[in-house]
Amino acid sequence: MVFVDRKGQGRSAIDEATHTLLKKEIDLAMYPQGTRALANSGPKGERLDAGYYTTGTANSLKRELGHLKKGCAYLALDSAIALSQKKPEEIQPIHLVFIALDGVATVFPKGTLQIQTNERISYLVGDLLTLNPLEVKGMKKPTTKEPMDEFEKRYEKKIDEIQEAIDRGLTKALHLHEHLLNRFQEEMRRSDFVPKSDQFKLSHELSRALKNEERLPFVILDRIYAIPH
């Protein structure tokens, strides 16, 4: 267990975790969202697990991937950089396995201490992301708020790439956007909150967004479903 000070000292925990990984060669589980998300609910207020994009405040949505903490990306890249400095025979790739938890908020959502029993929690194993330490050799973690040289700029760019891959890996493991689209289409057909003349057009636009891997429409749907009925 690596404890994290959530009041701004998270990077020291990343350094400790990196040292632990390199020293003991163990597997490490991380929870990149870092907190319980607001629960989604059905028309009658029934629990329908948590929203994925509801872990942060509304202000977090002003930042790209603001719903997802960067600790996993930092740990992966820092470990890969440290490994790149070892002897060639000691260098091993870093593997990130995306595992999504489905059903935890149905049991115990944010904002309540009431546990709902007789529910199923599923662990959904997604794709594998592999980092080759030799590909990140020479990158440097910035010591100031802004990167000072090309090596630090490459570090920041790689962090963003890993962060995007983590988010994509988790949403795909959950089939999140497909579930949001299917739920919205079903509710449109059953009720009159969207005029019938607009239903086909709206479904078409959401299907297009799903195909093009656009995030924003599904962030909006997810946040809407987190509004208490």
Side-chain angles (χ1 to χ4, degrees), residues 1-6 9-17 28:
M1 174 73 73
V2 177
F3 292 95
V4 177
D5 182 352
R6 296 181 60 167
Q9 303 300 318
R11 289 218 173 186
S12 62
I14 297 299
D15 293 339
E16 181 184 347
L28 187 67

Side-chain angles (χ1 to χ4, degrees), residues 163-175:
Q163 184 75 341
E164 181 71 38
I166 291 172
D167 183 70
R168 187 167 56 250
L170 291 175
T171 55
K172 284 188 175 181
L174 280 168
H175 301 288

Side-chain angles (χ1 to χ4, degrees), residues 90-221:
E90 295 178 346
I91 295 178
Q92 300 180 32
I94 300 290
H95 300 295
L96 278 72
V97 182
F98 301 117
I99 302 176
L101 305 182
D102 187 24
V104 289
T106 308
V107 175
F108 194 45
K110 184 175 183 177
T112 181
L113 296 178
Q114 183 179 358
I115 295 175
Q116 186 164 300
T117 58
N118 297 320
E119 296 290 345
R120 180 185 296 273
I121 296 176
S122 301
Y123 288 73
L124 308 172
V125 181
D127 296 332
L128 183 74
L129 174 66
T130 299
L131 289 178
N132 184 345
L134 296 179
E135 294 178 357
V136 302
K137 192 170 185 177
M139 292 184 186
K140 258 188 337 185
K141 179 189 286 189
T143 55
T144 57
K145 202 166 187 180
E146 296 294 330
M148 300 295 291
D149 56 34
E150 188 61 33
F151 302 107
E152 292 185 356
K153 289 180 181 178
R154 286 175 56 203
Y155 179 95
E156 291 292 341
K157 182 180 179 182
K158 192 64 177 178
I159 285 293
D160 290 340
E161 290 175 1
I162 296 172
Q163 184 75 341
E164 181 71 38
I166 291 172
D167 183 70
R168 187 167 56 250
L170 291 175
T171 55
K172 284 188 175 181
L174 280 168
H175 301 288
L176 176 72
H177 295 172
E178 292 93 328
H179 288 322
L180 286 169
L181 174 58
N182 291 337
R183 177 181 174 183
F184 187 70
Q185 288 177 325
E186 182 180 344
E187 291 184 356
M188 275 199 305
R189 288 191 292 266
R190 287 186 315 185
S191 62
D192 57 359
F193 71 95
V194 175
K196 290 190 180 300
S197 58
D198 294 333
Q199 288 184 14
F200 175 78
K201 181 179 178 181
L202 190 51
S203 290
H204 175 75
E205 287 300 314
L206 287 172
S207 297
R208 183 194 57 79
L210 178 66
K211 181 179 179 181
N212 294 334
E213 297 188 341
E214 296 176 17
R215 184 181 295 114
L216 183 58
F218 303 101
V219 173
I220 294 171
L221 280 179

